[in-house]
Amino acid sequence: MAQRLTVSDGVSKKTSRVRVAVRLRPYMSRQDEKDEGPCVRGLDSQNLEIINWRNATETVKYHFSIFYGEQTTQQEVFLSSVKPILPHILNGQNASVFAYGPTGAGKTHTMLGTAEQPGVIPRAVREVFNLVSAKDEDEGWDYSIGMSYLEIYNEKVLDLLSPNSQDLPIRENKDKNILIPGLTHTAISSFSDFDKHFIPATLNRTTASTKLNQRSSRSHAILLIKVVRTQRALPHRQQTGKLYLVDLAGSEDNRRTGNQGIRLKESGAINLSLFTLSKVVDALNSGTAARIPYRDSKLTRLLQDSLGGSAHSVMITNIAPEYRYYFDTFSALNFAAKSKLIVNKPFTRETVAVPVLPAPVKRSREEHEAVGSGA
Ligand code: ADP
Ligand code: MG
């Protein structure tokens, strides 16, 4: 086993980047006891600004490949960030979609959504069934779809389809596929079949209250949709494509939430996985790292064959506009940003209601005269 580990972990192979998008949820006054208004707002489809805490007459402007403003619908997020990668899993390739960000910023809304506003998970599962049923019989492949659902809690891998399961091991086979022996894998034949297994399992997710949040998500919830296709004729070639849909634990700084004891232990585990994930994404996107540190946490180890390499990955960083999220928003933005700029322009409230999408807003003179960088 051990010798094989020295073989390129994505070093000589071409690795694909992780697309990073940022989504700002609408301002909610019930989340803001002091009614201070938002401290962050969108500028156009790639830029947002946040007030600079060091100097309130300045804002810090961030640039992203995709920015979803508060008006962005679930459908728009799905169509632009997720739908395009789904055909690959019918061809034996892997993909992953993550929701990252502080608790309360919209990760579960983005991934799961509501009955009225379904999120990425129900839309993606429906689309996978649509893609499979649209496949031409004459191409000669049979398709089967299955699901697993697990969480990583305190660096333990727990099966959400088998409520009393113990910590499961993560293994790698000789083809460098990541496997979890003992994890429930259920064949699903339709979207309603999926829902029947998924809904009760969602309730198994571990949640606990912390000082900062009533129901803080302390674990990473990971839904795996596997598409296996088998050639009807000899030699019956078989290809497996995996899609991971991940609602990550909150990225808030747990040192500020007054966590102690078991909560503090959880905080350490959450921070380890998220910290490692950020290092992996950085290493993949800069293309400079000699070694991608997948093995440093359970989350990244599990996702090793579906993040980087030939996989298609999207990270949706969720942020909230209220002041109480300010420092968590900053750290989430710094995780997601390619560049930022300090702009010497006061953060005035009156432009807040301007729709963020779709037309890029013309830049003001002040912004062109922006000075400095790095907050
Ligand atoms: P998280 O999973 O990151 O803790 P949630 O998804 O639970 O956050 O979102 C917190 C609250 O904000 C929920 O009441 C949710 O319905 C609401 N919310 C989040 N994003 C949006 C959005 N884009 N539009 C409308 N409401 C949203
Ligand atoms: Mg949540």
Side-chain angles (χ1 to χ4, degrees), residues 114-311:
T114 59
E116 302 75 42
Q117 294 176 281
V120 163
I121 286 174
R123 289 172 197 271
V125 173
R126 274 188 202 282
E127 175 65 10
V128 169
F129 278 106
N130 288 343
L131 288 169
V132 165
S133 56
K135 276 286 169 185
D136 195 339
E137 287 272 309
D138 297 341
E139 286 178 27
W141 296 87
D142 287 325
Y143 291 81
S144 66
I145 305 174
M147 69 181 282
S148 296
Y149 191 30
L150 62 140
E151 70 177 349
I152 297 180
Y153 173 71
N154 270 343
E155 289 296 282
K156 289 191 176 70
V157 177
L158 303 172
D159 189 345
L160 289 172
L161 295 180
S162 170
N164 297 316
S165 83
Q166 304 290 306
D167 185 16
L168 296 167
I170 301 173
R171 300 265 153 75
E172 183 177 25
N173 73 7
K174 63 173 175 15
D175 300 321
K176 296 213 166 276
N177 293 316
I178 303 292
L179 314 166
I180 302 180
L183 179 69
T184 307
H185 188 71
T186 306
I188 46 175
S189 56
S190 63
F191 180 79
S192 62
D193 200 16
F194 161 79
D195 238 16
K196 197 177 74 194
H197 297 288
F198 182 67
I199 300 290
T202 300
L203 304 174
N204 285 335
R205 265 200 85 179
T206 311
T207 50
S209 72
T210 68
K211 226 162 123 187
L212 192 65
N213 302 289
Q214 280 293 322
R215 268 172 60 92
S216 165
S217 296
R218 317 290 301 165
S219 65
H220 311 291
I222 303 170
L223 172 66
L224 167 62
I225 301 295
K226 213 191 250 188
V227 178
V228 179
R229 69 168 183 172
T230 311
Q231 211 172 23
R232 234 170 275 134
L234 283 168
H236 302 303
R237 274 170 62 211
Q238 203 167 62
Q239 295 178 333
T240 300
K242 294 195 286 187
L243 169 67
Y244 282 104
L245 299 164
V246 186
D247 186 346
L248 292 166
S251 64
E252 56 270 14
D253 182 348
N254 288 288
R255 286 168 303 190
R256 287 195 296 106
T257 58
N259 287 320
Q260 292 176 321
I262 180 128
R263 291 287 94 88
L264 196 62
K265 189 183 165 208
E266 285 176 2
S267 300
I270 291 168
N271 291 345
L272 174 71
S273 289
L274 289 179
F275 180 59
T276 307
L277 179 65
S278 71
K279 284 194 294 184
V280 167
V281 170
D282 262 355
L284 291 169
N285 285 0
S286 65
T288 51
R291 173 185 165 271
I292 298 167
Y294 291 110
R295 287 171 176 273
D296 292 0
S297 77
K298 290 281 173 75
L299 177 71
T300 49
R301 178 64 172 145
L302 176 69
L303 293 163
Q304 181 163 353
D305 62 1
S306 307
L307 185 58
S310 59

Side-chain angles (χ1 to χ4, degrees), residues 44 46-47 61 63 341 360-368:
D44 56 42
Q46 293 195 301
N47 297 289
K61 191 172 152 189
H63 177 78
L341 197 64
V361 175
K362 280 220 185 76
R363 292 186 186 173
S364 68
R365 269 192 57 189
E366 283 105 294
E367 285 171 58
H368 286 303

Side-chain angles (χ1 to χ4, degrees), residues 23-26 28 30-31 69-70 72 74 100-110 114 117 215-217 247-248 250 318 325:
R23 183 181 199 185
L24 172 66
R25 74 150 164 72
M28 302 194 294
R30 72 186 146 85
Q31 291 262 0
E70 57 201 288
T72 312
Q74 299 281 66
Y100 178 93
T103 300
K107 296 181 298 298
T108 303
H109 182 78
T110 294
T114 59
Q117 294 176 281
R215 268 172 60 92
S216 165
S217 296
D247 186 346
L248 292 166
N318 292 267
Y325 291 93

